[in-house]
Amino acid sequence: MVSIPYAGKSHALHKRVEQLCTRAIRWAELKRKPKAEKKLAITVFSFPPDKGNVGSAAYLNVFSSIYSVLKDLKNDGYNIEGLPETSEALIEEVIHDKEAKFSSPNLNVAYKMNIREYQKLTTYANMLEENWGKPPGNLNSDGENLLVYGKRYGNVFIGVQPTFGYEGDPMRMLFSKSASPHHGFAAYYSYVEKIFGADAVLHFGTHGSLEFMPGKQVGMSDACYPDSLIGNIPNVYYYAANNPSEATIAKRRSYANTISYLTPPAENAGLYKGLKQLSELISSYQSLKDMGRGPQIVNSIISTAKQCNLDKDVALPEEGQEISAQERDLVVGKVYSKIMEIESRLLPCGLHVIGEPPSAVEAVATLVNIAALDRPEEVISSLPSILAQTVGREIEDVYRGSDKGILKDVELLKQITDASRGAVYSFVEKTTNSKGQVVDVANKLSSILGFGLNEPWVEYLSNTKFARANREKLRVLFGFLGECLKLIVADNELGSLKQALEGKYVEPGPGGDPIRNPKVLPTGKNIHALDPQAIPTTAAMQSAMVIVDRLLERQKADNGGKYPETIALVLWGTDNIKTYGESLAQVMWMIGVRPVSDTFGRVNKVEIVSLEELSRPRIDVVVNCSGVFRDLFINQMNLLDRAVKMVAELNEAVEQNFVRKHALEQAGALGVGVREAATRIFSNASGSYSSNVNLAVENSSWNDEKQLQDMYLSRKSFAFDSDAPGAGMMEKRKVFEMALSTADATFQNLDSSEISLTDVSHYFDSDPTNLVQNLRKDGKKPSAYIADTTTANAQVRTLSETVRLDTRTKLLNPKWYEGMLSSGYEGVREIEKRLTNTVGWSATSGQVDNWVYEEANMTFIQDEDMLKRLMNTNPNSFRKLVQTFLEANGRGYWETSEDNIEKLRQLYSEVEDKIEGIDR
């Protein structure tokens, strides 16, 4: 329906009604059609476009998962002819020769579509010519035909979705609005619907390009490309359970029935090499320091810490310097605290395979972290809190003491952490079989709970200093953990897919972080988000206040005791869903307002917090909203814009109200009113996403940092204006630049252990650190901070500290990279991706230390055995890895020996020959 303003009438849009009915009929037909006759188009992604990247998806071993799905469907009566014996053979057949270039015809061509056929089948083909010229163009084309890549097995087609097409063209990426799909992209979906005749399409993993094509944000029309591309085919979409925001975009813009899949089980990062040696030295210090060996061991600790580059994170005295016993304890405490931080960091190990339940050990780390959070709304105390109270301490005090490096607190926190892991492990052990898999949870749990001394966690704790822990609190907590364990091991990812393919109801469920919200489990649900008007919640506001206060204290400490006048920050869709609006609430607390809920719990206005209550100045903000946040939380953008303008108009001294100070200055410079000058809420143009900085970095298609900064400014300078309702996003680049030029700090949030700074390219894509330096009149680089709320002990670190932590726990950590390599072909790509994203951070912030690249080179290039494994497992991704090292050096981000560079050049030539099939 469309409403005519002022006429009081609504008219039916007949074409849309017809399309909706046709789509409903197509879903209903899935119920009636025999399985043996149903045709399924499985669509995989390749991003960035490269042969080594076919089958890319967040946290998912795509080809092993497809193989698992196809075997199950075949057993269920689907016609799947010629399925190979292994998932490795499946990779070979789909991409034909994974050592060939992506753009080469050696990628398996399933269909050649001539121009006449393409134009007949694709009614909107002429609309694409403005961006891409006449078909066939040079993407997914042999010059005469459009090529559809993939492989058919009976009634199943596995196809490779084309990419956006402009990744390698820096000029196109500078455009403020996204280009239409190219002819090859349109031809792919025309083939799937009208030639192959798919009864359903299964998009495999998070995520493809279809739902991010230009068009309206919601309520698609005939002129919106996602609508034109998907046509009337029922769209089933495997989506990572922790990404409800982008899953919502897939539902709204491509009509997807999403089915959630588990992210890989989390493990503690552990320690290795010099870090492990440091841990042993600290143990020696604690046992021998009173025997006169303290100074000697502390010298060894200082020396080893420097070898591990920990002197960048901890202020260390010179070796041999005379320091008192108290100072020695503090040095050891600070190093120990940093070691503990690295060791206990959660990281997803390996990649998930659809339909494979976790082992007991895999479930332990997840449960330990679920147990680490207080849940006051359910009257559940966290395990660390219960254990700390046993020895007369509050866990928050222990966290703070440990953060300061107070040795006895660091040691107590270590004991609490070890006891938590041991108690949970003893509990899980009772529910496992001989293979270490969690089985028969319900029956075993009922026999465990409620039997006093027989309770395994009580038995375990009886041998520790926490033997007197509160039994009742423990029983309530472990009862909750038992329910969580049942959810973790329940497997409905395959079952839900089969339900969807039979046109049946797939149970909905929330998406998000299973540690914060175990109701995300079990997976296999049709993901939904939350009521966008219900955030931020009261709890989110309380968490936000803690983080903002810590951020401002950290900035004051780093900046001569002065508050920052402006902070440039990012709002993400997924993060705000997972945390119920924490980062949204942070913006409110910075400017000194609080949300006000109505009787239905909807947040649609704010109130001013007095300067007396704030006891600090109001901080100005520049808010970069992701395209997904813009689509999902437009009401909250309206609320924020109103709030900033309200604060700008307060009659307060400018030394206490930096929003007003800058708005007045900018109003004078631009010749506009204060409200317009106080524009601070920015995003992409409607229907466009990202700054394209990530595409440029991933495809090495950028000349210099200035070009990346121009992309950011042209793509992200669209403002929301609450004074112009219905106007959409309006380009206000000058206001955007002036606001950014006042920023003293840049800021982002990490809210989930599964995704950190180098795991995805989105974070550096939205980082304006170097840009702000270029815009500031004094040329001063802003401080860059990351808030980490992935654990109960929330931290604010500098960006460089966070990159170092990420590097130590993932890229350089044998536990992480061996876990990835166990996934084979896909694992090499994951290693390469982390290095490319690290270069992205160098490009946007300059906050990556030289040793990061040097150690990565030692780990993956200097080690001959490792080098051969990478090259043989996925030569194309290995070539990209070598290219990225050379690029880091060429762009001045990595200084190293000429021997290292020469070896990399030789390797590049060698792997090129291997890919081209040349045997020298």
Side-chain angles (χ1 to χ4, degrees):
M1 303 288 283
V2 63
S3 297
I4 312 296
Y6 312 117
K9 292 181 180 177
S10 294
H11 292 271
L13 299 171
H14 294 290
K15 281 180 74 175
R16 303 307 298 163
V17 171
E18 185 181 334
Q19 189 152 8
L20 183 65
C21 293
T22 306
R23 193 173 292 120
I25 290 165
R26 293 288 300 274
W27 274 103
E29 283 171 352
L30 290 174
K31 271 189 174 173
R32 293 205 301 264
K33 198 165 191 177
K35 293 172 186 172
E37 295 175 20
K38 274 183 203 167
K39 288 185 174 179
L40 175 64
I42 295 177
T43 298
V44 300
F45 314 121
S46 175
F47 204 84
D50 186 288
K51 197 70 174 282
N53 290 334
V54 175
S56 52
Y59 318 105
L60 193 63
N61 188 327
V62 171
F63 281 104
S64 293
S65 295
I66 291 175
Y67 191 71
S68 169
V69 165
L70 291 182
K71 280 200 303 183
D72 205 74
L73 292 179
K74 189 174 184 180
N75 292 339
D76 209 33
Y78 286 78
N79 173 11
I80 302 171
E81 294 171 10
L83 186 65
E85 291 296 311
T86 64
S87 60
E88 288 77 17
L90 183 70
I91 296 174
E92 283 290 342
E93 290 191 9
V94 171
I95 68 174
H96 188 58
D97 175 6
K98 68 183 179 211
E99 294 175 4
K101 293 178 188 170
F102 177 78
S103 56
S104 119
N106 289 343
L107 191 74
N108 199 67
V109 176
Y111 190 78
K112 291 185 177 183
M113 188 182 293
N114 65 47
I115 307 308
R116 184 173 295 173
E117 183 180 32
Y118 165 67
Q119 290 174 326
K120 180 184 171 188
L121 296 176
T122 314
T123 55
Y124 54 93
N126 61 332
M127 292 166 59
L128 313 185
E129 292 180 12
E130 181 186 349
N131 286 119
W132 302 101
K134 296 281 185 188
N138 58 5
L139 296 163
N140 290 66
S141 153
D142 61 6
E144 295 178 11
N145 305 287
L146 287 154
L147 305 179
V148 177
Y149 293 124
K151 177 80 175 171
R152 187 165 172 176
Y153 298 95
N155 282 345
V156 170
F157 168 63
I158 302 175
V160 182
Q161 185 191 71
T163 59
F164 285 110
Y166 49 73
E167 300 87 356
D169 185 344
M171 293 314 295
R172 280 188 192 272
M173 288 192 284
L174 279 166
F175 295 161
S176 61
K177 297 183 182 180
S178 297
S180 68
H182 57 81
H183 296 295
F185 202 103
Y188 177 83
Y189 282 94
S190 293
Y191 167 80
V192 165
E193 183 173 20
K194 295 169 183 172
I195 296 174
F196 174 65
D199 294 295
V201 63
L202 171 59
H203 287 97
F204 217 99
T206 306
H207 58 72
S209 309
L210 167 71
E211 61 270 32
F212 293 99
M213 286 295 173
K216 290 197 293 176
Q217 290 161 217
V218 68
M220 299 289 102
S221 71
D222 297 347
C224 298
Y225 288 113
D227 181 271
S228 303
L229 290 160
I230 196 63
N232 294 315
I233 322 171
N235 180 12
V236 185
Y237 209 141
Y238 268 131
Y239 228 90
N242 69 346
N243 195 342
S245 64
E246 289 178 321
T248 303
I249 300 297
K251 292 158 81 75
R252 286 182 177 183
R253 304 187 88 238
S254 66
Y255 319 117
N257 179 346
T258 56
I259 296 175
S260 62
Y261 62 82
L262 264 177
T263 48
E267 288 187 36
N268 297 107
L271 299 173
Y272 54 93
K273 298 181 182 171
L275 297 172
K276 197 169 186 179
Q277 190 183 342
L278 258 181
S279 178
E280 289 161 2
L281 282 168
I282 289 166
S283 296
S284 300
Y285 174 78
Q286 287 174 295
S287 56
L288 300 174
K289 67 175 182 176
D290 295 329
M291 300 180 187
R293 297 276 307 281
Q296 182 185 342
I297 298 172
V298 166
N299 278 336
S300 298
I301 288 171
I302 293 167
S303 169
T304 309
K306 285 179 178 175
Q307 287 166 21
C308 295
N309 298 291
L310 285 180
D311 53 325
K312 311 286 191 302
D313 299 285
V314 178
L316 296 172
E318 292 300 315
E319 288 171 60
Q321 184 181 329
E322 284 287 324
I323 53 175
S324 67
Q326 192 176 358
E327 289 171 322
R328 285 198 294 272
D329 274 3
L330 193 58
V331 167
V332 173
K334 285 182 175 175
V335 173
Y336 196 4
S337 179
K338 183 56 64 176
I339 290 286
M340 281 280 296
E341 180 180 65
I342 295 166
E343 190 278 335
S344 60
R345 186 83 165 166
L346 274 188
L347 51 105
C349 274
L351 297 168
H352 179 62
V353 176
I354 296 289
E356 285 194 5
S359 71
V361 173
E362 290 167 344
V364 167
T366 302
L367 282 178
V368 167
N369 283 279
I370 289 173
L373 297 178
D374 280 314
R375 299 175 196 272
E377 68 283 1
E378 297 170 76
V379 201
I380 297 170
S381 298
S382 73
L383 189 49
S385 174
I386 295 169
L387 298 182
Q389 286 168 2
T390 310
V391 292
R393 297 289 302 277
E394 291 300 322
I395 191 64
E396 275 301 318
D397 294 339
V398 179
Y399 287 148
R400 296 287 73 78
S402 177
D403 291 344
K404 290 173 184 169
I406 298 168
L407 188 55
K408 65 181 179 59
D409 284 349
V410 181
E411 180 56 26
L412 177 57
L413 185 56
K414 173 84 164 66
Q415 291 166 347
I416 288 171
T417 303
D418 290 346
S420 296
R421 291 176 190 170
V424 172
Y425 185 81
S426 68
F427 165 58
V428 173
E429 202 176 24
K430 296 285 185 184
T431 64
T432 58
N433 63 14
S434 56
K435 292 181 182 175
Q437 286 179 308
V438 181
V439 290
D440 193 23
V441 177
N443 289 337
K444 293 202 175 185
L445 280 177
S446 56
S447 66
I448 291 171
L449 289 165
F451 282 97
L453 283 173
N454 291 332
E455 292 169 347
W457 53 90
V458 172
E459 285 186 20
Y460 177 84
L461 292 173
S462 66
N463 296 314
T464 71
K465 69 192 294 181
F466 309 107
R468 297 171 65 85
N470 186 305
R471 294 279 180 88
E472 185 50 38
K473 284 186 178 179
L474 286 172
R475 193 172 289 124
V476 171
L477 172 63
F478 278 91
F480 173 70
L481 294 181
E483 293 302 313
C484 293
L485 182 57
K486 280 192 258 185
L487 297 176
I488 291 168
V489 300
D491 169 34
N492 201 28
E493 294 169 355
L494 281 169
S496 291
L497 172 65
K498 289 194 278 193
Q499 293 271 100
L501 294 179
E502 289 169 33
K504 294 178 181 175
Y505 179 72
V506 175
E507 184 185 344
D513 180 0
I515 289 170
R516 285 177 187 260
N517 180 15
K519 293 188 179 83
V520 167
L521 304 169
T523 46
K525 291 175 179 171
N526 191 353
I527 301 171
H528 65 72
L530 43 68
D531 177 0
Q533 292 190 66
I535 68 169
T537 61
T538 305
M541 192 68 197
Q542 288 170 343
S543 299
M545 289 161 70
V546 171
I547 289 296
V548 170
D549 290 348
R550 286 184 189 169
L551 169 66
L552 297 180
E553 284 307 311
R554 179 73 198 258
Q555 169 68 354
K556 274 178 69 182
D558 294 348
N559 197 34
K562 289 188 345 197
Y563 281 106
E565 291 198 6
T566 305
I567 295 175
L569 67 151
V570 186
L571 292 182
W572 298 105
T574 289
D575 294 13
N576 277 284
I577 292 171
K578 287 180 186 173
T579 63
Y580 297 92
E582 272 182 27
S583 51
L584 183 65
Q586 289 166 1
V587 179
M588 293 180 179
W589 193 242
M590 285 175 192
I591 65 174
V593 301
R594 63 165 58 91
V596 179
S597 304
D598 63 16
T599 50
F600 299 103
R602 293 176 306 206
V603 178
N604 46 33
K605 63 179 181 178
V606 295
E607 64 182 18
I608 298 292
V609 177
S610 70
L611 287 170
E612 288 74 26
E613 185 181 343
L614 265 185
S615 66
R616 60 163 170 82
R618 301 185 193 278
I619 310 299
D620 198 359
V621 291
V622 188
V623 183
N624 164 16
C625 301
S626 73
V628 174
F629 184 93
R630 174 206 61 210
D631 288 0
L632 300 185
F633 297 110
I634 198 76
N635 290 334
Q636 271 57 30
M637 288 175 73
N638 180 38
L639 189 68
L640 281 182
D641 187 61
R642 281 168 28 213
V644 173
K645 287 171 177 170
M646 188 192 305
V647 168
E649 291 181 318
L650 290 173
N651 186 17
E652 293 175 340
V654 291
E655 310 83 53
Q656 289 297 306
N657 185 336
F658 296 135
V659 182
R660 181 166 177 76
K661 176 184 176 182
H662 299 145
L664 288 170
E665 291 169 357
Q666 288 152 17
L670 296 167
V672 298
V674 170
R675 284 182 71 81
E676 187 176 342
T679 298
R680 296 291 184 268
I681 314 302
F682 296 90
S683 186
N684 296 82
S686 299
S688 294
Y689 301 84
S690 105
S691 71
N692 284 348
V693 169
N694 56 346
L695 299 183
V697 170
E698 287 165 342
N699 293 278
S700 302
S701 53
W702 55 292
N703 299 325
D704 53 29
E705 291 178 8
K706 174 75 167 60
Q707 192 177 48
L708 297 180
Q709 291 164 19
D710 285 343
M711 284 177 198
Y712 185 96
L713 287 170
S714 68
R715 300 274 299 175
K716 286 290 184 181
S717 59
F718 289 78
F720 183 89
D721 186 358
S722 57
D723 294 339
M729 307 300 293
M730 294 182 289
E731 191 164 17
K732 291 192 178 178
R733 179 159 171 169
K734 189 63 188 168
V735 179
F736 187 44
E737 289 185 14
M738 289 184 79
L740 281 173
S741 72
T742 66
D744 299 300
T746 62
F747 178 61
Q748 293 201 50
N749 284 278
L750 291 177
D751 66 278
S752 167
S753 59
E754 294 147 342
I755 310 175
S756 194
L757 290 188
T758 59
D759 292 327
V760 292
S761 59
H762 302 64
Y763 287 119
F764 74 76
D765 180 69
S766 289
D767 172 55
T769 304
N770 282 351
L771 167 61
V772 168
Q773 181 178 14
N774 279 350
L775 291 173
R776 283 181 64 103
K777 289 175 185 169
D778 60 6
K780 182 184 173 188
K781 177 166 277 194
S783 305
Y785 297 104
I786 305 291
D788 181 345
T789 58
T790 59
T791 66
N793 184 16
Q795 301 281 333
V796 173
R797 302 185 185 92
T798 64
L799 173 55
S800 55
E801 285 168 353
T802 312
V803 170
R804 288 193 288 270
L805 180 60
D806 221 30
T807 302
R808 288 179 177 121
T809 52
K810 289 187 177 161
L811 187 63
L812 302 180
N813 185 354
K815 183 186 272 193
W816 181 83
Y817 61 69
E818 289 296 345
M820 285 301 168
L821 287 174
S822 68
S823 300
Y825 164 84
E826 273 107 341
V828 183
R829 179 175 67 229
E830 292 295 322
I831 292 168
E832 175 270 310
K833 186 168 86 174
R834 295 318 183 284
L835 187 71
T836 299
N837 291 342
T838 303
V839 169
W841 282 111
S842 289
T844 63
S845 73
Q847 300 289 302
V848 183
D849 298 326
N850 198 70
W851 69 264
V852 168
Y853 295 111
E854 196 70 23
E855 291 286 325
N857 182 65
M858 291 280 291
T859 303
F860 300 110
I861 304 298
Q862 298 300 322
D863 182 331
E864 289 294 329
D865 291 340
M866 173 61 72
L867 185 153
K868 285 172 186 164
R869 283 171 70 193
L870 297 172
M871 189 188 286
N872 293 333
T873 308
N874 186 337
N876 216 280
S877 286
F878 178 68
R879 174 176 63 177
K880 179 70 168 73
L881 185 80
V882 173
Q883 178 190 326
T884 304
F885 275 119
L886 288 168
E887 186 178 353
N889 173 255
R891 294 191 187 276
Y893 302 143
W894 173 38
E895 290 180 21
T896 191
S897 69
E898 191 53 44
D899 287 350
N900 281 343
I901 298 303
E902 187 52 39
K903 176 165 187 177
L904 286 163
R905 289 190 188 118
Q906 287 174 359
L907 271 176
Y908 190 84
S909 175
E910 191 181 319
V911 74
E912 280 270 85
D913 289 348
K914 186 177 175 69
I915 287 168
E916 300 296 339
I918 300 168
D919 188 13
R920 287 186 177 175

